[in-house]
Amino acid sequence: MNALGRHILVEFYNCSPELMNDVVHIENSMVAAAETAGATVINSTFHHFSPYGVSGVVVIQESHLAIHTWPEFGYAAVDLFTCGDSVDPWVSYNYLKDAFEASHGSAMECRRGQLDLLKRNDFNLESLRDVSPQPQEKLGTITRDVWFTERDENIALSLKHTGNQLYKKDSPYQRVEVYETLAYGNLLTLDGMVMCTQKDEYVYHEMITHVPMFSNPKAKRALVIGGGDGGTVRELLRYEQLEEVTLVEIDELVIEACKLHLPETAVAFDNPRLNLLVEDGIKYIKECADERYDLIIVDSADPVGPGEGLFTAEFYQEVYRCLTKDGIMITQSESPRFNSAVFVEIYDTYKQIFGAEKVHCYLAAIPTYPTGTWSFSYSSKGEAHPLTFDVNGAAAFSKAQGLKYYNEDIHMAAFALPNFVKELLNAKPGQVTNEYSAEPTA
């Protein structure tokens, strides 16, 4: 070959949109394409972008393979660059065309570094070293750098994972996936949005349960709508006083995925005190008897997909009806920093139903949720107040149960709100500006 390298610029058309958005499949295919052509793989780095698109590169001893995908067009742009003549990049081309289920592709080959235009320089390599030479990597060792990214208009969260997807199934409602991340353990996502991880789920689940339980010590019957990961009922079932705990989850695949891959969260599904129902929580609450529950926890995902109906005034009015006269409703109420408009709207709705003086906001730090600051709502039908609770009992309970986040001090401190949150809670829908929100409010 009369050149230093071969560079093929590739375009694949009418690829499977599903595969073009699957970072695990693309990374595996790119590595396999390199190895099939006889290349020595050194490193792979891949990112998935939410809601769609994948970028990545496989570094080989002979140069690299790079890609960017547009799933919405079924299109992939690929670079195949190999040095020397020991690796044939066209082998990689054919492999990827099949792997991406492309109807056709186009390619242009360039010879890089034409030898007749180059002059070889003689030099002493040792004289160029300013640091000690690094030990040669173990033959056959591949460094994988594969990333899951949840991205919104202005912010993103990226978590590096092993490249091995533990679970991926589509239900009638959503896509359920589990990734093995390096920093936070196994990660559950629904339609590409982070739900919980092994290493920080306890914050959410302890705060959504223990705050209402210690301010409503006479509670006997509790209902959880959503919460198919099992963490909320795990915490509720620590209380012997609860005679009945009912969990209504619409998607059985969420339960299945968490039983398999987040077993610490899903540990309570076999508890005999748990009444587990796989059905629509909105339908269940409509058919529920008046004043049936002392505590109702709405453990919902974001207000999209199957969770959208859990963010309406009609739904919260039904919840109010189903609470006993001293009952409490707890919801996850989004991040005041992430989407201020939604935050203001839902609190305005709670106040209209329960009364402004009966609705309280409290905060917790959850690193894998947008902005890291997350809120919960506490709405009482009767006279229960979140800061009227058994302080000594909460301290003893936290210690005895080995809780990781909740204690008596956190209970009180969670209701100490920053000024900007207080301003949002006093605002009306439509009055919110972009001053505090990470997402556009209009």
Side-chain angles (χ1 to χ4, degrees), residues 183-428:
Y184 286 95
N186 293 349
L187 159 70
L188 171 70
T189 71
L190 301 180
D191 284 339
M193 294 184 290
V194 172
M195 292 296 110
C196 66
T197 76
Q198 285 181 306
K199 288 193 177 181
D200 72 353
E201 57 84 12
Y202 59 85
V203 181
Y204 179 97
H205 295 123
E206 290 182 14
M207 292 301 285
I208 206 170
T209 54
H210 301 311
V211 169
M213 284 302 297
F214 271 99
S215 59
N216 191 18
K218 296 182 180 179
K220 299 296 182 183
R221 296 185 301 276
L223 168 67
V224 179
I225 298 177
D229 54 57
T232 298
V233 295
R234 176 195 66 197
E235 297 303 314
L236 285 174
L237 289 165
R238 296 180 188 272
Y239 295 88
E240 295 298 329
Q241 74 190 60
L242 287 175
E243 299 170 356
E244 175 189 346
V245 177
T246 298
L247 172 64
V248 182
E249 166 60 53
I250 196 171
D251 196 341
E252 63 183 346
L253 291 189
V254 176
I255 299 172
E256 177 184 89
C258 293
K259 281 185 174 181
L260 291 171
H261 301 296
L262 286 90
E264 306 90 344
T265 309
V267 70
F269 282 121
D270 295 327
N271 191 302
R273 287 194 292 147
L274 177 63
N275 177 28
L276 175 60
L277 304 174
V278 179
E279 59 180 86
D280 185 355
I282 298 172
K283 179 176 180 291
Y284 180 88
I285 210 74
K286 284 183 178 179
E287 298 173 354
C288 179
D290 293 354
E291 300 188 5
R292 177 75 178 84
Y293 291 101
D294 302 301
L295 172 61
I296 297 178
I297 297 177
V298 184
D299 186 358
S300 62
D302 292 333
V304 294
E308 187 172 4
L310 302 180
F311 284 78
T312 66
E314 293 77 14
F315 172 75
Y316 295 126
Q317 191 67 59
E318 293 291 341
V319 170
Y320 183 89
R321 176 184 59 80
C322 298
L323 287 170
T324 58
K325 61 183 179 65
D326 293 319
I328 298 171
M329 179 187 78
I330 302 291
T331 75
Q332 72 84 5
S333 50
E334 302 293 302
S335 166
R337 177 70 71 183
F338 174 61
N339 193 331
S340 301
V342 171
F343 178 82
V344 168
E345 184 176 352
I346 57 179
Y347 272 92
D348 184 68
T349 301
Y350 301 153
K351 291 173 184 177
Q352 291 182 39
I353 295 171
F354 287 84
E357 73 284 357
K358 300 294 184 70
V359 176
H360 308 271
C361 172
Y362 62 104
L363 304 178
I366 305 177
T368 54
Y369 281 10
T371 75
T373 299
W374 210 250
S375 77
F376 302 88
S377 76
Y378 179 111
S379 302
S380 58
K381 189 173 181 179
E383 299 305 316
H385 191 282
L387 295 181
T388 302
F389 72 106
D390 181 0
V391 176
N392 293 331
F397 181 89
S398 175
K399 184 176 181 180
Q401 295 291 330
L403 302 185
K404 298 178 181 179
Y405 192 88
Y406 175 87
N407 57 43
E408 71 283 8
D409 294 326
I410 287 290
H411 184 128
M412 291 184 285
F415 291 89
L417 303 178
N419 288 337
F420 87 92
V421 176
K422 292 181 179 181
E423 290 179 21
L424 291 173
L425 291 170
N426 289 322
K428 289 292 184 182

Side-chain angles (χ1 to χ4, degrees), residues 17-58:
E18 170 82 9
L19 296 180
M20 290 297 90
N21 204 38
D22 188 335
V23 66
V24 174
H25 176 79
I26 291 172
E27 193 259 354
N28 288 337
S29 298
M30 294 285 282
V31 170
E35 293 177 334
T36 302
T40 302
V41 177
I42 304 300
N43 170 273
S44 67
T45 299
F46 283 78
H47 280 264
H48 172 262
F49 300 104
S50 177
Y52 38 71
V54 173
S55 280
V57 62
V58 175

